[in-house]
Amino acid sequence: MGWRRAGGRHVRSRTAAVLSGALLLGAAVLPVLPTAPSAAAAGLSSLATADDGASVTGQSTVDSRMVDVQVSSPALGFTAPVRLILPKDYAAEPTATWPVLYLLDGCCDAQDYKSWTAYTNVESFMADKDVLVVLPSDGAAGLYSDWWNFGLSAKPGWETFHTVELEQLLQRDYRAGTVQAVAGISIGGYGAMAYAARHPGLFRAAASYSGVLDTVLPVITQVVQGILVREQLDPLALWGDVFAQLGLWSAHNPFDLATALRGTTLFVSSGNGSPGPLDAAGASGDALESAALVASQAFTAKLALLGVPVTTDYYGNGTHSWPYWQREFEDSWPMLATALGVPAT
């Protein structure tokens, strides 16, 4: 797929094939990994409250290293779930604080905050690592943003929930430290880069796997709005009309915010949408992944123009699916580990 910019505006050269692809960002059909019963996770303190009144209203043990937390969020206007994978030595060192890795989901998957543990080996991969792994909900289609709602309301405020409320609660109640990194798949890859750019210094590293990193690119704009329509949400309530509210779209667009990522360790990867080595025999091409590739390459080209370092892995054949995202997460782990200050192995 080709595209070019003319006079500061995006000009499509071939979008029909992409828009005919599935709009389900981050969805996949894979079996859920079983969770083993065990005693309650050790070392958890009493329930906390954030500055704006957000509070942990409940927690349930999934297994000895995994806890599901319910957070009542004023920014959202409702309660949202978060899954935590506890550090290896969490129980053994009850006064220690821990570096934090946020792993963000894609859009519209029924597994939501459970997706990384449902579709990848992240729990076993992190089993020997002293990192607090945070798997937050983004709702049905929160798109990692405080919504505009025509200037009438910022709810649901997913960005505030993730970057303010949740950070405070984790530090106060789950011994999270201030050293943080963020990574995400598909629209979660967008979220990782947008959060790192909109909150410079909050994350030492950010990684995007098949992310949509230039949301003002016309094909990506139409994909985002198509998702909202499909989820029976007003497509203008997020950031408004892309022409009338271009400043608002740009203020949330990693491409336009690229200079703010200077000093953050960055990783970007994507396939080209053609069936690859991790796809089932007879798999079809994936227009959504090819769109992610175009957006990701536009973003990393902008970084190169600005002299902002980024590690890329444009690995050729591969679809918009979890087997590739698990592989890319593992490949990017040494970079994330260095930023978090923990051993890579």
Side-chain angles (χ1 to χ4, degrees):
M1 176 181 307
W3 66 277
R4 60 189 174 87
R5 294 179 186 269
R9 298 179 66 178
H10 300 276
V11 180
R12 282 172 285 177
S13 60
R14 189 153 57 92
T15 64
V18 174
L19 294 178
S20 66
L23 290 178
L24 186 61
L25 292 184
V29 180
L30 292 172
V32 177
L33 299 178
T35 54
S38 69
L44 299 180
S45 61
S46 59
L47 305 185
T49 303
D51 291 350
D52 69 350
S55 62
V56 176
T57 58
Q59 60 188 28
S60 58
T61 299
V62 180
D63 61 30
S64 61
R65 289 276 303 284
M66 195 151 60
V67 178
D68 285 350
V69 176
Q70 297 294 322
V71 177
S72 175
S73 165
L76 296 175
F78 51 83
T79 297
V82 179
R83 174 161 285 187
L84 305 178
I85 301 175
L86 301 176
K88 172 177 65 72
D89 293 322
Y90 192 88
E93 300 185 23
T95 61
T97 58
W98 309 97
V100 181
L101 173 63
Y102 287 81
L103 294 179
L104 307 183
D105 186 24
C107 172
C108 320
D109 188 332
Q111 291 292 332
D112 187 24
Y113 69 103
K114 301 176 182 178
S115 65
W116 275 88
T117 52
Y119 303 138
T120 77
N121 67 347
V122 65
E123 185 180 11
S124 60
F125 184 80
M126 300 300 294
D128 60 348
K129 299 171 178 63
D130 272 327
V131 175
L132 178 62
V133 182
V134 182
L135 314 174
S137 174
D138 186 47
L143 301 190
Y144 298 96
S145 181
D146 291 0
W147 283 47
W148 176 57
N149 294 310
F150 309 96
L152 300 176
S153 168
K155 294 182 180 180
W158 289 103
E159 182 175 359
T160 298
F161 171 62
H162 292 140
T163 63
V164 179
E165 293 177 339
L166 188 54
E167 181 191 35
Q168 290 179 356
L169 293 174
L170 292 173
Q171 290 179 1
R172 295 177 188 184
D173 214 44
Y174 294 91
R175 293 190 275 132
T178 58
V179 175
Q180 302 183 118
V182 60
I185 60 100
S186 193
I187 200 67
Y190 158 79
M193 289 298 167
Y195 284 178
R198 286 172 56 80
H199 304 272
L202 185 62
F203 300 103
R204 294 192 179 183
S208 166
Y209 318 119
S210 304
V212 288
L213 304 183
D214 186 357
T215 53
V216 184
L217 191 66
V219 64
I220 302 300
T221 298
Q222 293 181 49
V223 168
V224 169
Q225 293 181 328
I227 290 169
L228 298 177
V229 170
R230 189 198 58 199
E231 296 299 312
Q232 301 183 3
L233 299 168
D234 186 342
L236 301 182
L238 178 63
W239 302 316
D241 176 81
V242 69
F243 298 107
Q245 299 293 333
L246 182 58
L248 187 58
W249 278 77
S250 294
H252 290 84
N253 185 14
F255 179 96
D256 292 321
L257 301 173
T259 188
L261 290 165
R262 194 179 305 277
T264 304
T265 302
L266 303 174
F267 180 93
V268 175
S269 68
S270 179
N272 62 19
S274 297
L278 303 183
D279 291 295
S284 301
D286 189 330
L288 186 54
E289 185 69 7
S290 65
L293 175 63
V294 171
S296 295
Q297 289 179 325
F299 172 70
T300 57
K302 176 74 172 290
L303 292 175
L305 185 65
L306 295 171
V308 177
V310 56
T311 299
T312 61
D313 184 12
Y314 296 126
Y315 45 85
N317 291 353
T319 58
H320 204 71
S321 57
W322 282 98
Y324 295 99
W325 300 331
Q326 174 175 305
R327 184 189 69 186
E328 293 304 300
F329 168 66
E330 292 182 4
D331 287 350
S332 65
W333 169 248
M335 178 209 79
L336 295 169
T338 298
L340 292 169
V342 300
T345 57

